């Protein structure tokens, strides 16, 4: 993964294409280009019988230039950064700011690709890709582009709660469990079937020991590490789903729409909202007179 800063100063994470997938995409494009070149040679050879030899040579050079340079430029411009090889492997060329590839950038990549692949047999592209942090070749450096992968890897399904541990997991205190450690346990469970038995047990014990230091109470005796980790992650996911459901069903914190603080009317769309009724005020005594008390005593004004 790599971070891309867009023109609006927004940081977006993208998955930069790896060198093997880019090399395979180039081989597909290279095979298509050679097939078109061979077809062009056959056609020009057949036409040279009835045309001038210099004209046939000029047509052959024109076809070679169109195939070696025009093919990637045309495809990447029309399809917004994808040639046939990149389309087959789910790759795309984008600008360094995350925007789509433009014609000028495709032209720079096509001209540099002719020198990198057809003149020097791909050596400059290989060396530059190995040295660059994002795997860029010279054409990408000159054009300001990056090749990314559009196909996200398939994620493993979330772990299920072991039925025998459901009642114990409901009593867990999970506030101390960090997201990084939970992701580590999730990755271990997703690769559990791919690990050897020795590595599986050793890694499971290590991850379970780290999680048990942040989660209470400890598991029942005899619970294997993978079952313990699955129960902790399943209970954590269940509580998170409950919390999100409560947040979505919570009414607005400031009362019904259109009423302000303490039920006071708020004008909406130019129409004043009805105000809450107020209690009648007590009659004030006339000016210059003081109210009498219950005993008939009139205080001085």
């Amino acid at each position: 993964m790599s971070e891309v800063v867009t023109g609006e100063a927004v940081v977006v994470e993208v998955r930069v294409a790896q060198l093997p997938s880019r090399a395979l995409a180039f081989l597909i494009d290279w095979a298509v280009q050679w097939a078109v070149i061979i077809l062009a040679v056959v056609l020009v050879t057949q036409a040279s019988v009835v045309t001038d030899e210099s004209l046939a040579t000029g047509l052959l050079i024109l076809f070679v230039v169109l195939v070696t340079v025009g093919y990637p430029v045309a495809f990447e411009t029309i399809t917004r950064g994808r040639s046939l090889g990149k389309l087959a492997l789910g790759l795309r060329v984008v600008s360094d700011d995350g925007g789509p590839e433009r014609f000028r950038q495709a032209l720079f990549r096509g001209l540099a690709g002719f020198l990198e692949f057809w003149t020097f047999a791909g050596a400059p592209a290989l060396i530059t890709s190995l040295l660059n942090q994002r795997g860029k070749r010279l054409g990408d450096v000159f054009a300001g582009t990056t090749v990314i992968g559009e196909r996200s890897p398939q994620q493993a399904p979330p772990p299920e709660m072991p039925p025998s541990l459901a009642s114990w997991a409901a009593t867990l205190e999970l506030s101390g469990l960090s997201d990084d450690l939970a992701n580590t346990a999730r990755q271990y469970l997703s690769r559990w079937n791919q690990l050897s038995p020795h590595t599986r047990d050793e890694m499971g014990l290590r991850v379970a020991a780290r999680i048990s230091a942040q989660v209470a109470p400890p598991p029942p005796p005899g619970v294997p590490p993978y079952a313990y980790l699955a129960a902790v992650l399943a209970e954590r996911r269940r509580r998170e789903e409950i919390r999100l459901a409560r947040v979505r069903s919570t009414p607005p914190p400031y009362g019904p729409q259109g009423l302000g603080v303490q039920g006071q009317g708020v004008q909406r769309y130019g129409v004043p909202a009805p105000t809450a009724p107020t209690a009648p005020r007590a009659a004030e005594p006339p000016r210059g007179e003081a109210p009498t008390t219950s005993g008939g005593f009139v205080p001085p004004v």
Side-chain angles (χ1 to χ4, degrees), residues 68-81:
T68 56
V69 179
Y71 166 84
V73 174
F75 264 94
E76 292 182 4
T77 302
I78 296 173
T79 62
R80 296 296 185 92

Side-chain angles (χ1 to χ4, degrees), residues 34 64 70 101 106 128 155 193 200 202 236 239 251:
W34 268 111
V64 171
E101 183 186 19
T128 308
Q155 298 180 354
N193 294 324
R200 179 193 307 166
E202 182 180 357
R236 187 172 187 262
R239 296 183 185 182

Side-chain angles (χ1 to χ4, degrees), residues 188-233:
Y188 163 74
L189 292 178
S190 64
R191 299 174 52 196
W192 189 81
N193 294 324
Q194 304 174 3
L195 302 175
S196 62
H198 175 72
T199 305
R200 179 193 307 166
D201 297 340
E202 182 180 357
M203 185 178 298
L205 289 173
R206 185 166 61 249
V207 176
R210 293 178 58 187
I211 287 188
S212 62
Q214 300 180 1
V215 175
V223 176
Y226 68 88
Y228 168 69
L229 296 177
V232 171
L233 294 182

Side-chain angles (χ1 to χ4, degrees), residues 34-163:
W34 268 111
V36 176
I37 289 176
I38 293 175
L39 179 61
V41 170
V42 172
L43 294 177
V44 171
T45 303
Q46 296 293 331
S48 62
V49 179
V50 295
T51 60
D52 188 12
E53 183 178 356
S54 59
L55 178 60
T57 304
L59 290 176
L60 184 59
I61 295 175
L62 177 62
F63 274 117
V64 171
V65 172
L66 289 178
V67 171
T68 56
V69 179
Y71 166 84
V73 174
F75 264 94
E76 292 182 4
T77 302
I78 296 173
T79 62
R80 296 296 185 92
R82 292 185 296 180
S83 60
L84 291 179
K86 293 181 177 63
L87 183 63
L89 295 180
L91 307 180
R92 182 186 291 273
V93 182
V94 297
S95 301
D96 285 339
D97 59 355
E101 183 186 19
R102 294 179 288 272
F103 171 75
R104 174 181 57 83
Q105 295 171 321
L107 182 60
F108 271 105
R109 296 185 79 256
L111 294 175
F114 179 80
L115 296 176
E116 292 178 276
F117 300 112
W118 297 92
T119 305
F120 297 101
L126 178 61
I127 296 174
T128 308
S129 299
L130 293 176
L131 296 178
N132 191 273
Q133 184 178 4
R134 293 187 177 181
K136 292 186 175 184
R137 62 177 179 88
L138 288 180
D140 294 317
V141 175
F142 294 152
T145 56
T146 305
V147 181
I148 64 173
E150 292 186 313
R151 297 175 184 172
S152 58
Q154 186 177 4
Q155 298 180 354
E160 298 181 359
M161 172 67 71

Side-chain angles (χ1 to χ4, degrees), residues 172-194:
L172 288 175
E173 174 58 40
L174 301 175
S175 59
L177 181 59
S178 62
D179 293 338
D180 293 339
L181 189 53
N183 291 332
T184 301
R186 189 175 297 107
Q187 293 176 3
Y188 163 74
L189 292 178
S190 64
R191 299 174 52 196
W192 189 81
N193 294 324
Q194 304 174 3

